[in-house]
Amino acid sequence: MNQLPTNLPTGTKVVVGFSGGLDTSFCVKYLTEEKGFEVHSVIVNTGGFSKEELQQVEAHAYNLGVKTHTTVDAVKSYYDSIIRFLIYGNVLKNNTYPLSVSAERLSQALHIAEHTKKLNAKAVVHGSTGAGNDQVRFDMIFHIMIPDTEIITPIRDMKLSREEEIIYLQSKGVAMNFEKATYSINKGLWGTSVGGKETLHSKGMLPEEAWPTQVSKSQPEEVKLGFVKGELKTINDQQFGHPTDAIQYLQSIAGPFGIGRDIHVGDTIIGIKGRVGFEAAAPMVILKAHHALEKHVLTKWQLNWKDQLAQFYGNWLHEGQIMDPVMRDIEAFLIQSQEHVTGDVFIQLMPYRFAVMGIESSFDLMSSKFGKYGEMNSGWTGDDVRGFSKIFGNQTAIYHNIKSDNK
């Protein structure tokens, strides 16, 4: 086994971002047993763990030898600081992916950094390999938030294989499930990613059994989503204390239809392309409903500039740049843009798909007071339009006249 490149002395206090899986379990055991570090584990729940699962993770951490274990409930703060802006911007990476995993990694990194500062630890540890996006996201945020803290990444730095990790943990008597799951699943508030052999190549769709939420509904249902200033507040007139509660409730309704399943093909931060499956029933329904409402209540140029800023925001967030001050500037724009995004959106849910049936809002710019599209209007006369059309095309007419004169 390769050596870990660190010169920190025995007894050094370190914080491990802990999930309870193979990689982070190795990190805790190795740093405790071989390096003699004082290890403190922290798990940041962004909606992917039940209360029982969190208790199991805590027990596992203490069995591995941590001095303290902390559970951070970040579900609401994750929404308040990140997800609501993804909704305001109708953000879908490559017009497909609601940033389910990339967004939650940033929330986790921020909380791990805060916990490291709180404990005054000399090093922070994460279990990323050297192959994906997460290593960049965690490293970059740690460099910014805790610049004087050493970053230790045993799996990446020691170039460990899964088999080497298992052999080591078994040699230490660690009891856990070492069977590699056929599919890698990461669940969170804003969707669940699913990776398997079908996503390792450019062709292939995940089979039915691979999806965490199985299809159990076949009869169409209509659901009414109530938005207030861009935030989901009610479902079928049921009020929720926080939008995260509404998201989870909508997931329970829409998920059994198999809605929101897809394959995302994207560019990684490190320059390679990758494929991953995901299911995100509630996020996809919310984003499309919210966008439908916006198309009714926002002006043409509000929509135009929102789309451009939101696309940049989503791409920059995906690449881990949540700390860039330009993100605060765009968030301020997005908040202001939601001033009139209030109303109800009617959705029909069906197996594997859904349809936006329409909206009702007191801010609807399609109000019949100003005329009906394609029919009668009350705001101008035919002569007004005749004159407007001539002036609106005046410069283009001049261009073509001059072009003809110079042939």
Side-chain angles (χ1 to χ4, degrees), residues 77-125:
S77 65
Y78 174 36
Y79 171 88
D80 293 337
S81 62
I82 297 177
I83 290 179
R84 71 181 176 117
F85 297 110
L86 299 181
I87 297 173
Y88 293 168
N90 308 308
V91 174
L92 289 173
K93 176 73 171 172
N94 292 352
N95 295 315
T96 304
Y97 177 54
L99 300 185
S100 303
V101 177
S102 47
E104 71 176 21
R105 288 293 182 263
L106 303 181
S107 176
Q108 291 164 349
L110 290 166
H111 283 286
I112 292 169
E114 287 291 350
H115 192 66
T116 302
K117 283 197 292 187
K118 180 180 177 181
L119 294 184
N120 195 28
K122 297 300 181 183
V124 61
V125 184

Side-chain angles (χ1 to χ4, degrees), residues 84 228 335 375:
R84 71 181 176 117
V228 177
I335 291 171
E375 297 181 23

